[in-house]
Amino acid sequence: MRKSSTNELAFFGGRPTFGELLHVGRPNIGDRERFLARMNDMFNRRWLSNDGPFAQELEQKIAKLLGVKHCLVMCNATVALEITACALGLEGEVILPSFTFIASPHSLQWQEITPVFCDIDPLTHNIDPARIENLITPRTTGILGVHVWGRACEVDKLSALAQKHKLRLMFDAAHAFGCTHQGRMIGGFGDAEVFSFHATKFFNTFEGGAVTTNNDELAEKIRGMRNFGFAGLDNVTSIGTNGKMSEASAAMGLSSLESMDEFIETNHNNYLAYAKGLAGVPGIRLINYNDKEKNNYQYIVLEIQEGEAGIDRDLLVKILNAENILVRRYFYPGCHQMEPYRSYFPNAGLVLPETEKLTLKVLQLPTGTAVGDKEIMDICELIRFIFANAAEIRDRAEK
Ligand code: T4K
């Protein structure tokens, strides 16, 4: 519905543009029949979890797709991060960005490893390798890079730093399934990488995740830890937890894998439609993906430059939410501003200026198979309208 005056904005009492909520993170479902057939097989077999045939098949297929020796599927990425950190022997302090989902530092702190937050490169939104060395202390045992939005970290620089200082290097690749770095699939970098297959990810297993590595010994250790530390029947050889993926989740993963190219194509088309629809709007920067790499395009991320835009990000979010567009502010306000980190490190923001600036600027728009060209055109038109009337909207909102 085209708006012709600010009175028609839902924020000021008008009718919302969309009758139904549009989400960032609406799951892609894939071929239902294929999934339901797999569910039937699973019931017939009466094998529902514990390294079942679907989980094994998914592991083999992912390892092949990513060109890695080992893939271990897990119940979710958070537990996968915890297990990987533990298997790598991380302790003391680990350096990671604050501009990430809270699961990244929590997976460390849960094991009493201190997360040390490093600032980001404002262009890439990823950890800035140039700022890492200053944060290394005698207690530092590792670096946890995060491939934010699926765009790879500066892997070479991080690897060189890890080698120089004898640190372990792992990646939170929760966003980066199906993406490449310098033509190589993400999954084989560092000591290990961790993917999320949560419902909101473009490739989902309801809940789920995976660890990938080329290190045989590490893979064996993680395999044991994922299953309570069992090394055989009645034989527990180490501390472990329950990180197993259920067969229902693995079946969803196999179905998602069959539709993965289609999901990526949809995301890419959506990305191009947003780029076209928002081109030339002053104060909006749509983050770009390097066309020379494989990308999953699962996040449509805008940076709102308040000075130029005439409207700040948070007011824009409220106005879009009122129109039933549930845009998100990942990763506001930054992990260092959330508990327990805010209390542990009240001054962390002093060394995180780029993170603090970015968390006030970014927002994510709906995409995936639940969103089509029509919705994207309507969203872009609405944003153009808001920006064209920014001064009036701001004045009215302040009253
Ligand atoms: N590392 C990074 C960098 C991550 O981004 C994440 C997860 C992890 C680690 C940990 O991975 P997991 O342990 O989850 O495997 C969501 C996801 O729950 C979370 O997985 C994801 N990152 C994060 C970026 O987003 P919330 O708290 O924003 O979720 P929620 O419930 O607000 O849902 C998002 C939107 O999606 C809502 O508008 C509702 C909609 N939605 C959600 C679900 C689950 C649906 O339409 N259908 C659904 O089934 O965290």
Side-chain angles (χ1 to χ4, degrees):
M1 190 184 63
R2 187 177 289 249
K3 313 263 181 195
S4 53
S5 94
T6 56
N7 284 337
E8 290 174 11
L9 288 170
F11 189 69
F12 297 120
R15 237 185 68 214
T17 305
F18 296 99
E20 275 182 38
L21 293 174
L22 288 185
H23 298 266
V24 171
R26 203 74 172 146
N28 294 324
I29 305 295
D31 186 335
R32 254 175 229 220
E33 295 309 317
R34 295 278 296 152
F35 172 73
L36 292 173
R38 286 192 167 102
M39 285 293 87
N40 267 330
D41 289 350
M42 181 190 79
F43 288 132
N44 291 339
R45 267 198 297 267
R46 287 179 190 268
W47 196 281
L48 307 187
S49 188
N50 290 21
D51 208 17
F54 284 150
Q56 289 186 25
E57 188 183 342
L58 184 61
E59 289 184 336
Q60 282 158 16
K61 289 194 164 149
I62 291 176
K64 190 163 173 228
L65 177 74
L66 304 188
V68 289
K69 275 171 95 174
H70 306 280
C71 168
L72 297 124
V73 290
M74 298 267 176
C75 56
N76 60 54
T78 308
V79 169
L81 284 165
E82 284 167 16
I83 292 178
T84 307
C86 184
L88 282 171
L90 297 186
E91 57 185 2
E93 296 173 0
V94 168
I95 298 170
L96 79 165
S98 169
F99 191 74
T100 180
F101 191 60
I102 196 67
S104 319
H106 274 1
S107 66
L108 301 169
Q109 187 65 52
W110 194 253
Q111 307 179 72
E112 300 191 356
I113 301 165
T114 304
V116 174
F117 295 118
C118 180
D119 212 0
I120 47 157
D121 176 336
L123 280 180
T124 64
H125 298 186
N126 281 328
I127 192 166
D128 183 353
R131 294 173 193 256
I132 289 180
E133 251 173 344
N134 274 347
L135 302 172
I136 297 175
T137 73
R139 295 186 70 228
T140 310
T141 56
I143 301 171
L144 171 58
V146 184
H147 305 303
V148 175
W149 320 133
R151 302 189 302 178
C153 298
E154 292 192 66
V155 171
D156 294 346
K157 288 187 184 164
L158 296 180
S159 302
L161 278 169
Q163 214 172 7
K164 180 174 166 197
H165 295 276
K166 298 195 171 40
L167 304 174
R168 307 312 296 255
L169 175 63
M170 61 181 276
F171 290 101
D172 178 336
H175 297 180
F177 193 56
C179 302
T180 58
H181 171 62
Q182 294 174 354
R184 232 178 95 193
M185 292 301 272
I186 288 178
F189 296 108
D191 291 301
E193 305 211 55
V194 173
F195 295 95
S196 170
F197 304 146
H198 181 257
T200 54
K201 299 289 183 280
F202 85 101
F203 171 100
N204 87 82
T205 61
F206 306 135
E207 289 275 357
V211 183
T212 54
T213 179
N214 286 315
N215 180 327
D216 300 340
E217 208 181 308
L218 182 67
E220 256 340 277
K221 218 165 161 186
I222 291 172
R223 192 183 303 284
M225 285 180 168
R226 175 179 69 172
N227 188 28
F228 313 102
F230 275 107
L233 202 60
D234 301 333
N235 182 24
V236 172
T237 54
S238 67
I239 181 133
T241 182
N242 183 354
K244 290 170 276 127
M245 178 181 274
S246 75
E247 283 292 273
S249 285
M252 185 64 176
L254 290 169
S255 306
S256 295
L257 216 47
E258 286 159 1
S259 299
M260 185 167 157
D261 291 343
E262 215 177 286
F263 296 156
I264 293 177
E265 200 185 325
T266 302
N267 285 346
H268 190 199
N269 289 338
N270 288 352
Y271 175 77
L272 296 175
Y274 273 118
K276 194 169 159 210
L278 296 173
V281 181
I284 290 187
R285 175 174 168 255
L286 171 68
I287 66 144
N288 66 318
Y289 292 95
N290 180 350
D291 285 341
K292 297 204 177 79
E293 301 286 0
K294 280 190 179 177
N295 301 294
N296 57 36
Y297 300 96
Q298 69 176 315
Y299 289 101
I300 305 288
V301 185
L302 300 187
E303 277 183 34
I304 308 300
Q305 321 286 349
E306 192 191 340
E308 250 183 286
I311 190 163
D312 67 77
R313 190 271 315 266
D314 289 350
L315 180 54
L316 179 63
V317 167
K318 284 184 198 152
I319 293 170
L320 293 174
N321 284 351
E323 301 291 339
N324 284 340
I325 310 165
L326 296 187
V327 298
R328 296 300 294 254
R329 301 185 295 176
Y330 298 125
F331 297 106
Y332 176 80
C335 294
H336 67 289
Q337 307 253 36
M338 294 184 176
E339 294 297 355
Y341 315 109
R342 184 172 53 191
S343 297
Y344 289 171
F345 322 111
N347 298 320
L350 294 175
V351 292
L352 302 169
E354 298 300 343
T355 304
E356 297 221 316
K357 274 187 252 165
L358 189 65
T359 58
L360 299 178
K361 284 201 288 199
V362 275
L363 67 81
Q364 293 73 35
L365 295 171
T367 186
T369 51
V371 181
D373 281 350
K374 169 82 178 80
E375 284 88 0
I376 294 175
M377 266 170 57
D378 287 349
I379 294 172
C380 292
E381 191 174 295
L382 181 66
I383 293 178
R384 283 182 171 277
F385 175 81
I386 295 167
F387 275 63
N389 295 280
E392 184 186 333
I393 292 171
R394 212 186 42 227
D395 286 351
R396 290 189 66 176
E398 276 167 10
K399 279 191 191 135

